[in-house]
Amino acid sequence: MTGGASALSVRVLGDLTVDGSDLTRLDRKSRSLLQLLALARGRPVSPDALVDALWGDDPPARPGDQLAVLASRLRRELGRDRIERTDGGYRLHTDWLDLAELEAVVVEAERRHAAGEIA
């Protein structure tokens, strides 16, 4: 899927999946970048944090360039508008994320429990 015209639904709980995309076309580092960005739930992730997470103590000679290459691969698969480079780093724009939905369910359950609506 390309172009970003369709809704982007991402699952990170369990296996990483994106509705309408075959992530096996992506290399392991690109999939890892996607997962890191999805776990940030729409917040930018700094290049330094991404380099540390992706390469640890053995980063490539030009890590910024390598991040740009990985982001480009994700843009080709998910749509150009889905991976944004900001002053704060890289950010993934999703329409639905299982982790965000889970958090909303937990918050609502906690609210209802505190209000005495559920035991």
Side-chain angles (χ1 to χ4, degrees):
M1 168 183 203
T2 59
S6 298
L8 184 68
S9 297
V10 178
R11 289 173 181 75
V12 294
L13 301 172
D15 291 334
L16 175 66
T17 62
V18 174
D19 288 356
S21 291
D22 178 5
L23 298 183
T24 62
R25 292 187 293 234
L26 296 171
D27 60 272
R28 185 179 60 80
K29 288 282 191 219
S30 296
R31 289 191 309 270
S32 294
L33 175 59
L34 173 59
Q35 190 163 27
L36 290 165
L37 295 176
L39 289 171
R41 297 181 309 279
R43 294 184 305 271
V45 182
S46 74
D48 289 343
L50 292 171
V51 168
D52 286 345
L54 291 169
W55 289 284
D57 293 333
D58 191 24
R62 298 174 59 130
D65 291 348
Q66 290 302 307
L67 275 177
V69 167
L70 296 176
S72 178
R73 290 176 186 159
L74 291 178
R75 287 184 185 110
R76 270 195 309 271
E77 182 62 30
L78 305 176
R80 180 151 186 74
D81 59 333
R82 296 302 182 167
I83 305 294
E84 179 184 14
R85 176 72 166 100
T86 69
D87 290 341
Y90 288 90
R91 176 174 34 205
L92 173 67
H93 295 281
T94 65
D95 297 298
W96 181 85
L97 176 66
D98 63 351
L99 184 59
E101 185 167 316
L102 175 62
E103 287 176 332
V105 168
V106 169
V107 166
E108 177 63 13
E110 288 172 343
R111 183 201 65 77
R112 292 181 66 198
H113 179 70
E117 296 175 23
I118 56 176

